[in-house]
Amino acid sequence: MNQRRSSESGFPINGVYTEADLPEDLDSRLGSPGEFPYTRGVYPTMYTSRPWTMRQYAGFGTATESNARYHQLLRAGTMGLSVAFDLPTQMGYDSDEPIAHGEVGKVGVAIDSIEDMRLLFADIPLDKVSTSMTINAPGSVLLLLYQLVAEENGVPGTALNGTIQNDILKEYIARGTYIFPPKPSLRLVADTFAYCRSEVPKWNTISISGYHMAEAGATPAQEIAFTLANGVEYVRAALAAGLAVDDFAPRLSFFFVARTTLLEEVAKFRAARRIWARLMRDDFGAKDPKSMMLRFHTQTAGVQLTAQQPEVNLVRVAVQGLGAVLGGTQSLHTNSFDEAIALPTEKAARLALRTQQVLAYETDLTATVDPFAGSYVVEAMTAEIEAAAVELMERVADHGSAVDAIEAGFQKREIEQSAYRIAQEIDSGERVVVGLNRFTVDEEEPYEPLRVDPTIEAAQADRLARLRSERDADAVTRALADLRAAAEGTENVLYPMKEALRARATVGEVCGTLREVWGLYRPTDRF
């Protein structure tokens, strides 16, 4: 049997918890649901009035194929869309650039221009659907394409609701899809905050992400500590750009993982809300309660899925989703059971959504707010994670800022040490992974994964060639020159960027213009 008796974050787990394990100041740490410090949830009624947003992450191949999957998910009852982009799009390259070869449409949808975005959201009511876009370095570019398509369909920016991830700092720590150095990247984030406040006021301008750090090996305490430290850096960048804290902070959102260690995950989410509320009130002087609310999206842990006996992932995902709901998430993506093998099939994606629907409509989870409040074990764990996360945030601050700590390699080094420890525990059998190092089978059942059409790259290149031959080349040149001038100066770059995209400049051309002004970031660079 599993002999581990410590949490993922490293503190011991007692066999029995009693009232003596509760923090002495529990009442002030808890508060009421919807009230500071929001430990019990950011809204007074939470799911008793309506369930969380069921937002399934999808995108592959061409915009037309992804659009068909979105319509399938909407028919199946999903409440929000979440777009996965292919690697060239995430890195700001067009599909016909040499560096994109072999990656077009592979891990998400290829978006090269406004024409692809039109196809991606064809016949989808953008004033009624909430859309999340997992895009970082070129996040502002994809948001503007989305807004342009909405406007073409008579939907103003004021009616749009959704999120762009737009979290560049975690890319330097854990994921690697950065383009520019941190300073201009932070400027782009702040410009997006200011633009959306005026033009797309209901849009969540950033989803500050711990998910990818967790996937790289971060513990729950590391996940929230490094995520909230990045959040502090974004707040400082916005303040330095002249924005008032209560003008942008209500549109900040977060993105966390949900692991199979259910009790610790519930405690993690509760601790994160409490830390953020105090930071915003005490350190940044926020007055608007919405500025203090840590609202977050959760995705179940892809790193914990196994290619061996993949049907067991259905159980893992259900447990992980349960932890996210008990922890008070605002929206949830449940992974498909076959994602450790390939892009999910239609049936697997539907089953993942059905998992959420069972939790929402067949259990009593939505009958009461914060069911674990006062639990000896959960309250003790919440306090433990809070203390560990605050200590880690202080170590980040000792470097000067989150950016300085990134430059010193602090967060990356801490995460890599945790990842190595986890790998050792799995290899030794100390950490049980069902179907992988225990309860294995001699022969796996055959499985037919979803395959991406290899001709997509050539088709996208043909579309780009046709686009460039048909558009007004002089108008594109002028628009890109205006974008360059804004990037060289202090003007908000999103306004000329939008005009360039309207003129049918491509994602690669827009990002290429900014590369020429701001340069590329390499891990060995100093900044």
Side-chain angles (χ1 to χ4, degrees), residues 246-261:
D246 287 325
D247 285 343
F248 67 86
R251 304 315 306 175
L252 302 179
S253 64
F254 293 80
F255 175 26
F256 295 118
V257 78
R259 302 169 180 82
T260 53
T261 44

Side-chain angles (χ1 to χ4, degrees), residues 33-34 42-50 366-370:
V42 292
Y43 303 121
T45 58
M46 289 302 289
Y47 312 135
T48 62
S49 55
R50 74 174 189 87
T366 60
T368 188
V369 177
D370 191 23

Side-chain angles (χ1 to χ4, degrees), residues 133-256:
M133 292 188 278
T134 304
I135 194 79
N136 294 283
S140 55
V141 182
L142 277 298
L143 169 61
L144 292 172
L145 287 173
Y146 186 84
Q147 184 189 8
L148 285 166
V149 169
E151 289 174 350
E152 289 177 351
N153 287 278
V155 179
T158 52
L160 295 178
N161 193 315
T163 305
I164 46 172
Q165 193 162 103
N166 202 27
D167 175 10
I168 197 61
L169 292 181
K170 66 96 172 44
E171 298 296 327
Y172 304 114
I173 295 171
R175 195 160 173 266
T177 59
Y178 44 73
I179 301 175
F180 318 112
K183 286 182 179 177
S185 293
L186 285 173
R187 172 192 168 181
L188 191 53
V189 170
D191 280 358
T192 305
F193 289 175
Y195 176 87
C196 287
R197 179 174 176 263
S198 299
E199 309 295 334
V200 198
K202 293 194 290 185
W203 198 266
N204 297 313
T205 50
I206 193 167
S207 178
I208 308 165
S209 174
Y211 180 87
H212 301 97
M213 289 187 269
E215 293 283 281
T219 68
Q222 289 172 338
E223 178 192 354
I224 63 169
F226 298 151
T227 303
L228 299 187
N230 286 348
V232 167
E233 194 75 6
Y234 292 125
V235 171
R236 288 174 176 164
L239 294 174
L243 301 176
V245 64
D246 287 325
D247 285 343
F248 67 86
R251 304 315 306 175
L252 302 179
S253 64
F254 293 80
F255 175 26
F256 295 118

